[in-house]
Amino acid sequence: MIELRNITFGYGNRPLFDQLSLKILDGEFVGIIGPNGAGKTTLLKLMGGMMRPAAGEVWIHGRLLNRYSRMELARLLAFVPQEFHSLYDYTVEEIVLMGRYAYRRAFEPPGERDWRVAEQAMIRTEVGSLRRRRLSHISGGEKQRVVLASALAQEPRVLLLDEPTGALDLKHQIHFYRILREEQRRSGQTIVTVTHDVNLAVRFCERILVLKEGRIVADGPTETVIQQSVLETVYEIPLTIFPHPEDGKPLVTFGRVGHGR
């Protein structure tokens, strides 16, 4: 379980979170949505220890986050950023194998298990055919799937993703989230993803957290949170919500159309 207790955080003289508390249970697939500046990425980074709160505590699996060593945390938690930058032009295979660093001593070459886990991660993300290519020779969307493969190779219990599909076309957005859902069902991972695509969150996340100006506006099962009154208040534009023709889940469109809910 991830638990944030009375978190306070801000940038300079600009406060963002004030006494914010939140629990995410083991095995949940949580989507964080909200407008720009709401605090989505900051909240994710506080969960992962990439930022430290001015006050309050972050607990993961019953232990204070700052009590974990760097290597312990790497075995527990993986982070997929919006964009991945590297000082060196590594191959795809090298990047994926970097996900195994927490399981090896310094300068120790990859072992049999490292290769096996990395291979499976590349297969699941469909980047195996790119293994010999360098990062500079693949597209932004392909690079994002490589970063996911590296994160999966860490075999984390918690996977945090910050707008991971921004560089992907529609087909690969859906494919990316299907991989996440399959991973969650296969291994019981806890997944928390930030996204600007409300409909992607609705389709794949079991729980939605809505942020605005550092406040949790709504939090709960997807069908109860995705309401016209909630989203119009948060995004400040007219919206219409229809039941999806395939499964009845909420489908959000811009503007007032017909008889939404």
Side-chain angles (χ1 to χ4, degrees):
M1 179 172 69
I2 305 171
E3 184 176 3
L4 280 64
R5 300 180 183 175
N6 302 315
I7 294 295
T8 297
F9 182 88
Y11 293 96
N13 296 323
R14 184 173 69 88
L16 181 59
F17 299 124
D18 183 21
Q19 299 287 302
L20 182 144
S21 294
L22 172 68
K23 289 183 181 180
I24 294 175
L25 303 180
D26 290 345
E28 283 195 303
F29 195 151
V30 181
I32 303 177
I33 64 172
N36 291 337
K40 303 182 298 296
T41 295
T42 301
L43 182 61
L44 202 70
K45 290 183 174 180
L46 287 166
M47 290 181 192
M50 284 146 281
M51 291 181 170
R52 294 199 173 191
E57 298 174 336
V58 180
W59 291 72
I60 297 184
H61 293 184
R63 185 175 170 187
L64 275 168
L65 181 63
N66 59 17
R67 299 288 174 84
Y68 285 96
S69 70
R70 179 171 170 269
M71 298 299 276
E72 286 176 322
L73 197 58
R75 294 186 183 193
L76 175 67
L77 182 150
F79 182 80
V80 176
Q82 295 180 39
E83 296 181 354
F84 176 78
H85 301 285
S86 174
L87 293 175
Y88 301 99
D89 197 16
Y90 293 108
T91 67
V92 165
E93 187 174 71
E94 288 170 334
I95 290 292
V96 177
L97 278 167
M98 286 178 189
R100 300 297 301 166
Y101 77 92
Y103 300 90
R104 308 198 307 268
R105 294 187 295 273
F107 307 111
E108 181 182 12
E112 181 181 343
R113 176 167 174 77
D114 298 317
W115 283 105
R116 185 169 65 252
V117 172
E119 179 68 27
Q120 287 301 312
M122 286 190 285
I123 289 172
R124 292 200 295 275
T125 54
E126 297 184 1
V127 297
S129 62
L130 307 175
R131 67 176 68 242
R132 305 299 182 198
R133 293 174 64 180
R134 298 195 174 274
L135 289 183
S136 61
H137 295 163
I138 63 176
S139 71
E142 289 169 335
K143 186 184 296 184
Q144 198 67 356
R145 284 188 285 139
V146 171
V147 176
L148 176 60
S150 184
L152 296 181
Q154 282 182 237
E155 298 184 292
R157 295 172 66 185
V158 177
L159 186 56
L160 305 178
L161 306 102
D162 186 16
E163 298 183 40
T165 58
L168 303 183
D169 59 36
L170 184 58
K171 173 185 174 181
H172 285 101
Q173 287 178 19
I174 299 298
H175 180 61
F176 191 100
Y177 272 93
R178 281 178 176 160
I179 293 169
L180 293 180
R181 188 164 61 186
E182 289 167 5
E183 284 299 310
Q184 181 212 21
R185 291 173 177 173
R186 183 184 66 84
S187 63
Q189 280 179 333
T190 302
I191 298 177
V192 184
T193 181
V194 167
T195 179
H196 277 297
D197 192 321
V198 175
N199 286 316
L200 268 181
V202 168
R203 295 293 296 174
F204 293 98
C205 300
E206 303 156 341
R207 175 182 170 189
I208 302 289
L209 182 71
V210 186
L211 286 184
K212 183 177 183 181
E213 297 176 346
R215 296 180 296 106
I216 298 176
V217 176
D219 177 18
T222 302
E223 286 76 7
T224 63
V225 168
I226 302 302
Q227 301 291 333
Q228 185 171 329
S229 59
V230 172
L231 297 187
E232 288 189 338
T233 298
V234 168
Y235 291 105
E236 300 178 355
I237 57 172
L239 297 167
T240 301
I241 301 178
F242 294 104
H244 194 283
E246 288 185 3
D247 56 17
K249 288 185 176 181
L251 180 63
V252 182
T253 62
F254 299 112
R256 296 280 166 75
V257 183
H259 300 286
R261 63 174 184 171

